[in-house]
Amino acid sequence: MSEGQTVSDIELRHGDLTVRVSPRGAAVTAATFRGIPFLVAAGGPDGAMANFAMVPFGNRVEGNSMSFAGRDYAFQPNTSDPLYRHGDGWLGLWQVEDCSSEYAQFVFSRAADRVSPYAYLTRQEVRVAGDALILALSLENRGEAALPFGLGQHPFFVRTPKTRLTIAADRYWSERPDHLPDVPAPVPDYFDFRSEKLLPQRWMNNAFEGWNGRAAIAWPDLGFQAALEADGALDRFMLYMPVDRNDFFCLEPMSHLPNGHHLPDFGGLMPLAPGEILAGSVTILMAALPAQSEGR
């Protein structure tokens, strides 16, 4: 299958869940629970992605450059953003290795070039089981030298006026004007979701650390809720809430901080020798809210 060919979504169904996935980026393009969307298409190159995998790491690289093990490496912008962003997987055409009515497994490989020095093989399985959407991602260094790798998921959750979030973190990073993390600090009250809280009506594009991998989202006006669980490799997250749209927000489980190449200890990026593998999974379990909580 070549880059120019038309690709069709694969529909997965189980119980009250219906999920569509595309070989473009191995992306979820739609996800509904009892016929109502809980992920919305708002991301990707043409705004058609409701979730995409971030490989070989997520977010931006300051100066489109990095140094590792005594060598300097350069990147080129891969979108209209001046900085290389979110890796390559979301922009690539993945091969379908296997699929059924309940799962699809994709594979994507990349050689190093002038855009990125990373060579790797990555797999993603998208599965529906019970009322859960499971995203399992792995990444193998196929290059000739060790490099710092990371991975993450970038879901676009539906946002309604009554959407409430519960998620705990030890600290957060403020944001610089170039959308890179600035300095770590205690979580401010308006971004503190340890107790269930309405989403703030303000710009948010911040990284958080010290996370146990669990979160809860409630949509009283839609009558359902989600319990999100990320495995141990994904111990950080981003929260993104734009001000020009109020129909979605992003809660992005990640194995590292944005711009980790320029942070102490590489911000959680994992040095992988050739042939070594990094993996992580995210489960989004949907459930109906109790009748008294539905706000109807």
Side-chain angles (χ1 to χ4, degrees), residues 12-19 32-33 101-102 128-132:
L12 312 178
R13 289 179 175 269
H14 192 280
D16 291 320
L17 278 184
T18 302
V19 175
T32 64
F33 178 68
S101 61
E102 298 180 359
V128 290
D131 286 327

Side-chain angles (χ1 to χ4, degrees), residues 274-293:
E276 289 189 320
I277 294 173
L278 179 66
S281 63
V282 174
T283 299
I284 303 170
L285 177 62
M286 303 299 299
L289 279 169
Q292 63 269 24
S293 302

Side-chain angles (χ1 to χ4, degrees), residues 67 182 266 287:
S67 297
D182 191 7
F266 292 96

Side-chain angles (χ1 to χ4, degrees), residues 186-241:
V187 179
D189 288 344
Y190 47 84
F191 290 161
D192 187 348
F193 299 99
R194 286 175 294 179
S195 297
E196 185 181 81
K197 181 185 292 185
L198 284 170
L199 300 179
Q201 297 295 323
R202 59 183 297 162
W203 169 267
M204 190 174 187
N205 186 34
N206 300 87
F208 293 78
E209 294 185 278
W211 179 41
N212 66 2
R214 300 191 176 194
I217 308 167
W219 295 273
D221 34 2
L222 300 179
F224 56 64
Q225 60 189 335
L228 183 148
E229 185 169 351
D231 71 11
L234 302 169
D235 59 357
R236 298 164 173 86
F237 65 91
M238 287 283 294
L239 281 176
Y240 171 58
M241 303 179 197

Side-chain angles (χ1 to χ4, degrees), residues 9-287:
D9 284 3
I10 300 168
E11 185 169 278
L12 312 178
R13 289 179 175 269
H14 192 280
D16 291 320
L17 278 184
T18 302
V19 175
R20 292 204 312 269
V21 292
S22 172
R24 297 277 178 202
V28 174
T29 56
T32 64
F33 178 68
R34 297 184 174 180
I36 302 173
F38 63 93
L39 298 178
V40 295
D46 55 2
M49 295 179 177
N51 179 82
F52 58 80
M54 295 183 285
V55 287
F57 53 83
N59 220 275
R60 295 167 172 84
V61 181
E62 184 175 5
N64 287 328
S65 65
M66 70 169 184
S67 297
F68 183 74
R71 293 184 59 185
D72 295 330
Y73 297 89
F75 298 86
Q76 294 293 325
N78 56 352
T79 67
S80 60
D81 193 287
L83 297 180
Y84 176 88
R85 183 165 62 111
H86 291 326
D88 323 287
W90 67 309
L91 303 174
L93 181 62
W94 299 48
Q95 300 298 312
V96 180
E97 281 194 314
D98 195 10
C99 68
S100 73
S101 61
E102 298 180 359
Y103 74 90
Q105 182 169 293
F106 302 92
V107 64
F108 174 76
S109 62
R110 191 185 189 286
D113 60 16
R114 63 183 297 273
V115 175
S116 167
Y118 282 80
Y120 59 90
L121 176 75
T122 181
R123 282 186 170 87
Q124 169 145 282
E125 182 183 76
V126 182
R127 178 183 293 271
V128 290
D131 286 327
L133 167 61
I134 303 162
L135 305 161
L137 183 64
S138 67
L139 179 63
E140 177 187 347
N141 182 2
R142 287 286 183 92
E144 298 178 353
L147 285 177
F149 282 78
L151 45 77
Q153 298 288 349
H154 199 309
F156 294 77
F157 288 99
V158 66
R159 180 172 184 174
T160 65
K162 294 183 180 181
T163 302
R164 305 180 72 88
L165 174 64
T166 308
I167 191 169
D170 291 340
R171 66 176 182 173
Y172 99 123
W173 286 73
S174 58
E175 183 190 20
R176 291 172 10 190
D178 54 5
H179 302 308
L180 294 173
D182 191 7
V183 294
V187 179
D189 288 344
Y190 47 84
F191 290 161
D192 187 348
F193 299 99
R194 286 175 294 179
S195 297
E196 185 181 81
K197 181 185 292 185
L198 284 170
L199 300 179
Q201 297 295 323
R202 59 183 297 162
W203 169 267
M204 190 174 187
N205 186 34
N206 300 87
F208 293 78
E209 294 185 278
W211 179 41
N212 66 2
R214 300 191 176 194
I217 308 167
W219 295 273
D221 34 2
L222 300 179
F224 56 64
Q225 60 189 335
L228 183 148
E229 185 169 351
D231 71 11
L234 302 169
D235 59 357
R236 298 164 173 86
F237 65 91
M238 287 283 294
L239 281 176
Y240 171 58
M241 303 179 197
V243 293
D244 59 336
R245 290 185 63 168
N246 60 9
D247 59 331
F248 75 86
F249 74 100
C250 297
L251 193 173
E252 308 160 37
M254 296 176 65
S255 66
H256 60 285
L257 293 169
N259 198 34
H261 299 85
H262 295 273
L263 296 176
D265 298 320
F266 292 96
L269 290 166
M270 181 67 66
L272 296 183
E276 289 189 320
I277 294 173
L278 179 66
S281 63
V282 174
T283 299
I284 303 170
L285 177 62
M286 303 299 299

